[in-house]
């Protein structure tokens, strides 16, 4: 038995056009490594250089979003069905900008706290 | 070019107005390969934000499966910008993951008028396209006035008395 993986349109260039492929692995990470051995380049579209699941995709095991199952560490069993969908998101002032801003805010807050600590001494 | 029924555009605009000042988002499904948007599916904006939208991942799974079962595909993916123009932001472009879809943007920044524009977004390249709003030939729920020279379907409808 194997794990059935449903591939979205945008990634079918890696699977020779196939909508469904099969793979094996004890975790989602293992499965993606296994798939990448036959569909080179697929994993890099799903996993960041830092080794996390990409923000631009949703991956489901059976009916669950893997973000709630441990992401790449999500456990898999033979007969599971994995579905990959493009995350649909965007907006006038986007996620990337919002993330950059919150990081900037965090660093400003850290600096202010540091300055205050220095001033107190 | 995107050809889309007037009633669907009106429903999208109503959704965008209803959720203003938060961004609204959704899908119009159509038969696979047809390029004809027929079934309007308003989606929740899981981000509930004035500047960001995001489909709820579980709702998306349900809707995408339903489309698959019905042999449909997402012909149109729409969202609103509530304070800026109807043009894809860098975030819109980086997330655009349906190369076959028309990305429809509605701007609700003006209270009385809407700006509606459509784009193809493929491999990070944005191409604007014309939007043709079409009136349905036959609306089974409405009484239609008969005009000579309309399609046989419309004449049938008139004569059947339904």
């Amino acid at each position: 038995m194997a794990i059935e993986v449903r591939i979205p349109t945008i990634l079918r260039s890696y699977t020779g056009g196939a909508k469904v492929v099969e793979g094996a692995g004890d975790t989602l990470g293992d499965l993606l490594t296994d798939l990448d051995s036959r569909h080179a380049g697929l994993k890099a579209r799903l996993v960041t250089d830092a080794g996390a699941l990409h923000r631009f995709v949703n991956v489901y095991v059976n009916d669950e979003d893997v973000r709630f199952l441990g992401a790449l560490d999500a456990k898999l069993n033979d007969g599971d069905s994995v579905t990959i969908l493009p995350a649909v998101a965007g907006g006038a002032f986007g996620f990337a900008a919002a993330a950059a801003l919150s990081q900037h805010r965090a660093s400003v807050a850290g600096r202010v706290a540091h300055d205050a600590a220095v001033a107190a001494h | 070019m995107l050809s889309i029924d007037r009633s669907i555009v009106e429903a999208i605009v109503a959704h965008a107005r209803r959720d203003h000042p938060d961004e609204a988002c959704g899908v119009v499904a159509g038969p696979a390969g047809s390029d004809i948007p027929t079934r309007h599916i308003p989606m929740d904006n899981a981000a509930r934000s004035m500047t960001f939208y995001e489909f709820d991942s579980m709702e998306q799974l349900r809707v995408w499966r339903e489309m698959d079962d019905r042999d449909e595909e997402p012909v149109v993916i729409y969202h609103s910008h509530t304070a800026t123009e109807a043009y894809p932001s860098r975030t819109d472009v980086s997330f655009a993951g349906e190369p076959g879809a028309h990305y429809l943007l509605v701007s609700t920044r003006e209270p009385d008028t809407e700006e509606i524009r459509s784009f193809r977004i493929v491999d990070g390249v944005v191409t604007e396209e014309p939007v043709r709003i079409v009136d349905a030939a036959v609306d089974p729920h409405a009484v239609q006035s008969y005009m000579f020279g309309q399609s046989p379907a419309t004449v049938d409808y008139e004569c059947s008395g339904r």
Side-chain angles (χ1 to χ4, degrees), chain B residues 78-90:
Chain B
Y78 72 88
H79 75 281
S80 62
H81 285 177
T82 58
T84 54
E85 68 171 332
Y87 192 87
S89 67
R90 281 169 65 180

Side-chain angles (χ1 to χ4, degrees), chain A residues 71-97:
Chain A
L72 292 170
D73 296 328
K75 294 274 179 287
L76 298 177
N77 294 302
D78 274 353
D80 278 347
S81 170
V82 170
T83 302
I84 303 169
L85 293 182
V88 182
F93 179 78
F95 173 78

Side-chain angles (χ1 to χ4, degrees), chain A residues 34-80:
Chain A
D34 176 54
L35 291 179
D36 203 65
S37 67
R38 272 162 283 122
H39 310 291
L42 182 63
K43 189 179 178 182
R45 294 294 299 272
L46 303 171
V47 178
T48 65
D49 293 342
L53 196 60
H54 224 296
R55 184 74 181 79
F56 303 119
V57 290
N58 292 335
V59 182
Y60 309 85
V61 175
N62 302 324
D63 288 335
E64 293 283 336
D65 186 333
V66 296
R67 288 194 176 87
F68 304 113
L69 299 174
L72 292 170
D73 296 328
K75 294 274 179 287
L76 298 177
N77 294 302
D78 274 353
D80 278 347

Side-chain angles (χ1 to χ4, degrees), chain A residues 6 60 63 65 90-91 93, chain B residues 51-53 57-58 65 89 92:
Chain A
R6 302 183 78 84
Y60 309 85
D63 288 335
D65 186 333
F93 179 78
Chain B
T51 53
F52 188 59
Y53 82 96
S57 67
M58 295 316 294
R65 278 213 179 129
S89 67
D92 293 336

Side-chain angles (χ1 to χ4, degrees), chain B residues 3-105:
Chain B
S3 289
I4 184 166
D5 195 274
R6 183 177 304 280
S7 62
I8 295 174
V9 172
E10 285 170 359
I12 290 171
V13 167
H15 180 205
R17 285 286 175 209
R18 197 161 63 236
D19 286 8
H20 185 94
D22 284 350
E23 293 193 4
C25 54
V27 176
V28 190
S34 70
D35 203 32
I36 299 171
T38 53
R39 191 165 67 91
H40 174 218
I41 310 162
M43 303 281 285
D44 280 342
N45 177 1
R48 297 196 190 288
S49 161
M50 296 190 281
T51 53
F52 188 59
Y53 82 96
E54 183 175 31
F55 284 7
D56 174 81
S57 67
M58 295 316 294
E59 184 183 29
Q60 187 188 350
L61 178 65
R62 185 173 55 73
V63 168
W64 254 245
R65 278 213 179 129
E66 193 178 72
M67 284 193 283
D68 221 32
D69 292 346
R70 297 167 63 124
D71 219 6
E72 292 175 331
E73 59 191 5
V75 178
V76 171
I77 294 175
Y78 72 88
H79 75 281
S80 62
H81 285 177
T82 58
T84 54
E85 68 171 332
Y87 192 87
S89 67
R90 281 169 65 180
T91 318
D92 293 336
V93 176
S94 56
F95 269 96
E98 291 285 359
H102 301 266
Y103 284 88
L104 188 76
L105 275 92

